[in-house]
Amino acid sequence: MNKRASGILMPVSSLPGPYGIGCFSKEARAFVDWLADAGQTLWQILPLGPTSYGDSPYQSFSTFAGNPYFIDLETLVQERLLCAGDCAAADLGSDPTDIDYGKLYRNRWPLLRQAFAAWRAAGGPGEAEYRQFLAKNASWLEDYALFMAIKDRQGGAAWDQWPDPLRLRRADALARARSELGEEVAFQQFVQYEFDRQWSRLKEYANSKEIRIIGDIPIYVAFDSADTWARPELFQLDKDGRPTGVAGVPPDGFSATGQLWGNPLYDWKIHRADGYSWWIQRLAACFERYDVVRIDHFRGFDEYFRVPAGAPDARDGQWMPGPGKELFDAVRKALGDRPVIAEDLGYLTDTVRQLVADCGFPGMKVMEFAFDARDSSGANEYLPHNYPENCVVYTGTHDNETVAGWFQTGITDAERAAVCRYLHRAPDAVEPLYLDFVCTAMASVGRWCIIPLQDHLGLDNRARINRPSTLGCNWRWRVEADALTPELAARIRRMSETYGRAKPISQPEEEEDAAAAPDQAAAGKSDAEKSLR
């Protein structure tokens, strides 16, 4: 990250398209084209893993596998694995701005099973490309496919509710399951193969447009996951495979009882003893899938918050020491220097700041936190005039309110007045404030600036992605296709050029304009803002 750049935060699931959820479709490639037209060089997405109950991409059945919902059905039609009529007839949801996960679960899986049957009948299992995929991913794919097959046989029950021989992975029980569930195992492997092929093509297309993909991984894995079931020794579990402590964060201004995530915690002594091989394997897979990796809850590597298993909330937890820089030294030794963004939000201590600095990773700066007393880090961490160059600047993230919604209803009158003072705006100004927020983030010294698409559009909290510690209303927002206009792309390009972040158009007069951008930014943003509206 050695030069100024900008990009957009946009989950794959939020892309437009006809089949209930955003996917690796022609609409995704059209979004890449739109990003290029807007002068952007970064596309940040959310985790791509298969989602479990609650639909959160941060609670996945596998840290290595891909979400089957993102497989493009039209591509399967083109490959003659599905009929267009069957896809059109499936009820995958009728609201183009909302994701109905219940309908996806009931009606998308049968289409994927039809595609699998057609692929197998056409000799797909014998193709060299498929055999190479199986061999390359055997270290995780065999366990994942068997895990999902058993889960289906057990009616979707979490693995700690399975019969003891399967729950405790006794060799004879696993051998019998592989034999009895061979077709379902093969189906799960096919789904991952198709996911990998389609994602690789989309990423290659984005890279051909000089757009890098910023992927996102949670620090923890879900308890009900193939990772925990297959490698229980890596986690703080008892002899029966049940957690002795779980992850969360302590009470803060956003939650009086803290957040009880429930993920199993790592047994760092075991990871250290084998040279952090699982983490090296995990990050190696991420760097194949993404160009840049954002690691969620980075402070957990310095200290992690341990809540006793069975506690009703996070108030009785305590901070425990994590692996620190030793883990990332091992990763760097094995994989070389790779681009990582450290999600260092929340309550920060000097040791957390030192870990981020010692690793050399850019941290995150979220502008909303500068004016919101609920954040525990304090305004100085997030006021734009205090940013270091080595950071990634956001107006907000997927966990925050949209800027428009936050300003309207999320903060107090005093905080709203502080925002207006900082942006040199009258409190009763009629013009929308979200553009001032975006311009200020763009103008900051931070090398990279990532803006959620909703904040470029000025959408309110109906377009919010996630409300932490709630269920049933999250991860559902989709953008309307006609919102991604050439006019919006042009405005974002002008803004990015003004603040020296856009990829220049290769024409002499426009290159001269781009070179002059830092001088324009130094002269002040008010005139620029007027030209960008």
Side-chain angles (χ1 to χ4, degrees):
M1 113 173 242
N2 55 7
K3 68 176 184 177
R4 289 172 68 80
S6 60
I8 288 179
L9 171 58
M10 173 68 167
V12 170
S13 59
S14 296
L15 290 166
Y19 295 118
I21 191 170
C23 57
F24 307 147
S25 60
K26 65 177 183 294
E27 288 82 9
R29 284 182 284 279
F31 181 69
V32 168
D33 294 338
W34 184 85
L35 285 174
D37 290 342
Q40 305 305 284
T41 52
L42 301 166
W43 177 13
Q44 182 171 324
I45 60 177
L46 299 187
L48 293 179
T51 51
S52 59
Y53 308 106
D55 310 313
S56 170
Y58 295 89
Q59 295 285 346
S60 174
F61 289 132
S62 169
T63 193
F64 294 95
N67 191 336
Y69 292 159
F70 295 156
I71 294 173
D72 178 40
L73 300 182
E74 289 186 1
T75 298
L76 298 181
V77 171
Q78 293 165 9
E79 294 174 349
R80 299 186 177 183
L81 300 180
L82 283 178
C83 295
D86 291 338
C87 296
D91 182 6
L92 302 173
S94 57
D95 184 347
T97 67
D98 181 67
I99 301 169
D100 188 327
Y101 286 98
K103 289 183 177 179
L104 291 179
Y105 181 77
R106 290 189 297 272
N107 300 322
R108 227 177 199 269
W109 283 104
L111 293 172
L112 294 177
R113 293 184 186 279
Q114 286 182 39
F116 168 64
W119 172 80
R120 187 172 56 177
E127 294 175 356
E129 182 183 0
Y130 177 66
R131 308 310 300 179
Q132 291 167 2
F133 171 79
L134 293 182
K136 179 181 178 181
N137 296 282
S139 62
W140 64 268
L141 181 57
E142 292 177 3
D143 282 321
Y144 169 75
L146 182 59
F147 173 86
M148 294 302 290
I150 296 172
K151 174 177 278 294
D152 185 68
R153 172 68 65 88
Q154 296 296 322
W159 68 265
D160 65 331
Q161 303 301 312
W162 296 354
D164 283 354
L166 292 172
R167 178 171 64 84
L168 300 175
R169 293 180 57 84
R170 292 175 184 160
D172 58 340
L174 295 184
R176 186 162 52 252
R178 289 189 188 97
S179 175
E180 294 176 357
L181 303 174
E183 182 171 343
E184 182 66 17
V185 168
F187 167 67
Q188 295 291 340
Q189 291 172 327
F190 159 76
V191 167
Q192 291 306 308
Y193 171 61
E194 195 63 40
F195 172 95
D196 186 75
R197 292 176 73 213
Q198 291 195 13
W199 169 250
S200 296
R201 291 169 186 167
L202 177 58
K203 179 179 179 295
E204 183 179 345
Y205 184 76
N207 291 165
S208 75
K209 299 286 186 175
E210 300 186 52
I211 292 170
R212 285 183 283 180
I213 305 291
I214 302 176
D216 192 347
I217 65 169
I219 183 174
Y220 297 119
V221 301
F223 174 72
D224 188 23
S225 68
D227 312 291
T228 312
W229 175 68
R231 298 293 303 275
E233 73 278 7
L234 298 178
F235 303 92
Q236 296 182 25
L237 307 179
D238 62 22
K239 60 183 178 59
D240 291 322
R242 294 185 170 88
T244 58
V246 296
V249 291
D252 59 16
F254 294 95
S255 174
T257 59
Q259 294 181 37
L260 185 61
W261 298 338
N263 304 76
L265 297 164
Y266 298 109
D267 187 334
W268 286 117
K269 292 180 181 178
I270 298 297
H271 286 267
R272 182 178 294 114
D274 79 344
Y276 300 101
S277 62
W278 183 86
W279 270 97
I280 291 169
Q281 179 191 3
R282 183 187 190 191
L283 287 172
C286 288
F287 286 118
E288 282 202 19
R289 184 167 285 175
Y290 313 117
D291 299 302
V292 182
V293 173
R294 171 194 179 272
I295 303 179
D296 194 51
H297 194 58
F298 193 84
R299 75 146 301 156
F301 296 111
D302 175 59
E303 292 180 308
Y304 63 91
F305 197 68
R306 185 180 190 275
V307 182
D313 55 50
R315 287 178 290 184
D316 292 332
Q318 60 180 324
W319 291 104
M320 304 290 290
K325 186 171 178 284
E326 181 181 84
L327 166 61
F328 296 99
D329 287 342
V331 171
R332 183 173 283 111
K333 182 177 180 181
L335 304 179
D337 286 320
R338 299 298 185 96
V340 169
I341 297 172
E343 188 274 281
D344 55 349
L345 306 175
Y347 178 69
L348 299 182
T349 63
D350 288 341
T351 55
V352 175
R353 294 185 183 94
Q354 191 61 53
L355 175 60
V356 176
D358 289 345
C359 291
F361 302 147
M364 290 175 56
K365 301 297 180 185
V366 176
M367 273 188 62
E368 285 185 10
F369 291 169
F371 308 98
D372 196 325
R374 292 171 294 181
D375 181 72
S376 54
S377 297
N380 284 339
E381 288 284 340
Y382 301 109
L383 285 168
H385 63 267
N386 290 329
Y387 294 166
E389 285 188 67
N390 190 33
C391 74
V392 184
V393 182
Y394 298 78
T395 48
T397 74
H398 63 278
D399 281 334
N400 301 123
E401 298 175 75
T402 68
V403 165
W406 172 82
F407 186 76
Q408 291 165 7
T409 62
I411 53 177
T412 66
D413 290 343
E415 290 164 342
R416 199 172 294 112
V419 173
C420 292
R421 283 196 302 273
Y422 195 86
L423 299 178
H424 303 285
R425 290 289 298 274
D428 58 351
V430 177
E431 294 178 333
L433 176 137
Y434 67 90
L435 283 177
D436 299 75
F437 229 70
V438 172
C439 284
T440 302
M442 285 276 197
S444 72
V445 72
R447 286 199 188 95
W448 285 2
C449 180
I450 307 294
I451 306 296
L453 180 63
Q454 299 95 310
D455 290 345
H456 276 303
L457 292 167
L459 301 179
D460 63 23
N461 282 334
R462 287 173 292 183
R464 186 173 180 175
I465 297 292
N466 181 44
R467 295 166 176 79
S469 300
T470 66
L471 288 173
C473 58
N474 299 318
W475 321 109
R476 299 178 67 109
W477 176 76
R478 298 180 72 194
V479 68
E480 296 184 73
D482 59 7
L484 301 173
T485 63
E487 292 76 18
L488 178 60
R491 189 185 79 195
I492 295 171
R493 173 177 279 281
R494 288 195 299 271
M495 187 183 302
S496 302
E497 288 174 342
T498 297
Y499 300 118
R501 297 189 181 277
K503 177 181 177 294
I505 300 174
S506 56
Q507 294 173 355
E509 64 273 16
E510 290 174 334
E511 289 177 351
E512 290 173 6
D513 290 342
D519 294 334
Q520 297 171 22
K525 64 183 177 66
S526 58
D527 291 340
E529 287 169 350
K530 294 175 184 177
S531 70
L532 293 168
R533 290 197 171 92

